[in-house]
């Protein structure tokens, strides 16, 4: 038994102790994309709400972006890296099967013999990871857990795909989860629908791709690498008809109602989906709503921590405020929980 597990004890409550985010240096406005997808700035804004997004440069990797976001979260929490017992990293764009990005990030942060693993739950990944982290803290399996959501989705984009090329983007966000005097992370409401896998998916698996490459080499032909594809209408229909139930379940298990919220931080998938959820849930105008998608795009598993950070940094919300987090996307999967917002670096 490790020393970390031996000294950890169960606690009554878990909370978000600190938050950090990393946004890639390169800002990509709609004007840089429209010609390749035969579109316009107005069409993109009307369809998604996006005016610009961040795409990572070659040196801004899954590991480097995660490490920087994590450092900022640790600073905000006042926790040293060596105090972290577990790292849980959510991503869908790590381009290798192993080692886990979480383990590499732990080493980059100077951690030693620290449990670390990755979670793949698409755009719901951060909320899935957060739920697991809170349970680790409450059970005594860990005292402090570092949760990271990170993506380099620009690596998976077909630049001429009119359904995806303007939506997905890159970045990282991280939180430190640890013991709290009162409950700061409500029970998770989560689920999935594997019948909807075609709505968002990689268009071919690597076994198929390698077979195509071999055939192309033998015949002197060519092949096309795998890309992420999305049926936007299918995702929209699922989101606006199903996610109201998920949000109400999150309210029920947390024991609150929409009018007790200070903030709403949905996955930054599409501004129209966000507006539809606000209407369906009758969220009061006094509630601050994260709209980071306008300048950041859809960053999948990184979306919610980055949106939380933007909302806090802009002054739209403040640490300690009660917020509903809701992640949803590829799977199709969803997860939501009511939290108290953390401090930022």
């Amino acid at each position: 038994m490790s020393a970390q597990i031996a000294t950890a004890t169960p606690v009554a409550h878990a909370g978000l102790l600190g938050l950090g985010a990393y946004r890639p240096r390169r800002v990509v406005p709609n004007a840089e994309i429209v010609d390749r997808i035969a579109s316009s700035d107005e069409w993109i804004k009307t369809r998604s709400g996006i005016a610009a997004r961040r795409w990572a440069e070659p040196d801004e990797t899954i590991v480097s972006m995660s490490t920087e976001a994590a450092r900022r979260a640790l600073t905000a929490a006042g926790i040293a890296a060596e105090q972290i017992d577990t790292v849980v990293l959510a991503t869908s764009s790590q381009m290798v099967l192993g080692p886990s990005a979480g383990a590499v990030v732990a080493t980059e942060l100077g951690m030693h013999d620290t449990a670390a693993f990755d979670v793949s739950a698409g755009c719901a990944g951060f909320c899935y990871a957060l739920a697991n982290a809170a349970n680790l803290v409450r059970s005594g399996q860990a005292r402090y857990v570092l949760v990271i959501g990170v993506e380099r989705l620009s690596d998976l984009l077909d630049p001429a795909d009119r359904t995806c090329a303007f939506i997905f983007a890159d970045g990282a966000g991280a939180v430190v989860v640890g013991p709290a005097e009162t409950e700061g992370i409500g029970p998770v409401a989560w689920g999935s629908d594997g019948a909807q896998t075609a709505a968002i998916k990689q268009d071919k698996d690597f076994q198929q791709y390698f077979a195509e490459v071999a055939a192309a080499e033998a015949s002197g032909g060519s092949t096309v690498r795998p890309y992420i594809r999305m049926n936007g209408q299918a995702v929209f229909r699922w989101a606006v008809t199903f996610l109201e139930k998920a949000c109400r379940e999150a309210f029920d298990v947390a024991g609150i109602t929409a009018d007790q919220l200070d903030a709403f931080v949905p996955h930054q998938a599409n501004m129209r989906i966000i507006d539809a959820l606000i209407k369906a849930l009758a969220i009061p105008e006094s509630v601050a709503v994260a709209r980071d998608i306008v300048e950041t795009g859809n960053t999948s598993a990184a979306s919610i921590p980055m949106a939380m950070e933007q909302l806090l940094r802009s002054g739209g919300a403040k640490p300690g405020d009660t917020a509903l987090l809701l992640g949803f996307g590829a799977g199709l999967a969803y997860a939501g929980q009511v939290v108290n917002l953390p401090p930022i670096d």
Side-chain angles (χ1 to χ4, degrees):
M1 182 179 292
S2 73
Q4 291 172 334
I5 298 302
T7 57
T9 55
V11 298
H13 305 299
L16 302 174
L17 307 185
L19 167 66
Y22 180 84
R23 298 170 191 273
R25 298 184 298 272
R26 182 184 172 199
V27 178
V28 181
N30 290 340
E32 195 171 321
I33 294 173
V34 292
D35 289 345
R36 290 197 299 269
I37 61 173
S39 185
S40 68
D41 175 64
E42 181 181 1
W43 184 87
I44 292 174
K45 287 178 179 176
T46 300
R47 191 172 181 84
S48 67
I50 299 172
R53 73 285 295 141
R54 303 288 185 107
W55 283 351
E57 299 286 6
D59 64 318
E60 294 171 311
T61 66
I62 291 288
V63 169
S64 70
M65 292 190 293
S66 297
T67 301
E68 184 56 35
R71 287 196 176 107
R72 294 173 183 178
L74 289 166
T75 298
I79 298 295
E82 56 266 27
Q83 292 177 268
I84 297 294
D85 301 306
T86 308
V87 176
V88 187
L89 185 147
T91 189
S92 296
S93 51
Q94 170 77 331
M95 298 295 277
V96 298
L97 295 177
S100 75
V104 180
V105 170
T107 296
E108 289 292 314
L109 291 168
M111 301 176 191
H112 301 283
D113 196 24
T114 301
F117 60 95
D118 294 354
V119 169
S120 178
C123 304
F126 177 81
C127 289
Y128 268 66
L130 182 60
N132 279 284
N135 287 335
L136 286 170
V137 171
R138 293 190 197 101
S139 70
Q141 287 292 298
R143 183 164 178 81
Y144 297 110
V145 180
L146 177 64
V147 178
I148 301 167
V150 60
E151 302 288 5
R152 258 188 68 122
L153 292 166
S154 58
D155 290 336
L156 298 170
L157 290 179
D158 175 353
D161 183 350
R162 202 165 190 257
T163 68
C164 288
F166 67 94
I167 292 177
F168 294 108
D170 308 332
V175 294
V176 176
V177 176
E181 292 185 3
T182 58
E183 191 53 65
I185 303 173
V188 66
W190 54 4
S192 65
D193 183 0
Q196 301 275 359
T197 55
I200 311 173
K201 69 173 185 176
Q202 184 175 305
D203 59 6
K204 64 182 77 171
D205 63 36
F206 283 101
Q207 184 176 13
Q208 177 186 348
Y209 175 60
F210 294 148
E212 290 178 358
V213 169
E217 290 176 346
S219 66
S222 62
T223 187
V224 177
R225 53 155 289 183
Y227 289 112
I228 187 172
R229 304 293 183 186
M230 181 174 68
N231 182 332
Q233 290 185 341
V235 174
F236 184 86
R237 285 194 300 269
W238 176 80
V240 299
T241 58
F242 187 83
L243 292 178
E244 179 185 355
K245 169 183 172 292
C247 291
R248 295 196 184 284
E249 184 180 345
F251 287 145
D252 288 345
V253 295
I256 72 165
T257 56
D259 59 4
Q260 293 175 278
L261 287 178
D262 298 305
F264 178 36
V265 187
H267 165 51
Q268 304 293 289
N270 182 297
M271 194 72 80
R272 293 189 301 159
I273 293 177
I274 293 171
D275 289 338
L277 287 171
I278 291 169
K279 182 178 180 180
L281 295 168
I283 290 179
E285 291 185 4
S286 60
V287 174
V289 178
R291 297 184 183 274
D292 193 37
I293 190 172
V294 175
E295 299 295 335
T296 303
N298 179 340
T299 56
S300 192
S303 165
I304 286 178
M306 293 179 73
M308 276 198 292
E309 192 264 355
Q310 188 277 333
L311 194 60
L312 287 162
R313 195 167 297 283
S314 70
K318 62 185 184 301
D321 279 355
T322 299
L324 171 64
L325 311 183
L326 179 68
F328 55 91
L332 292 172
Y334 71 90
Q337 56 264 96
V338 175
V339 306
N340 290 334
L341 293 174
I344 56 176
D345 66 309

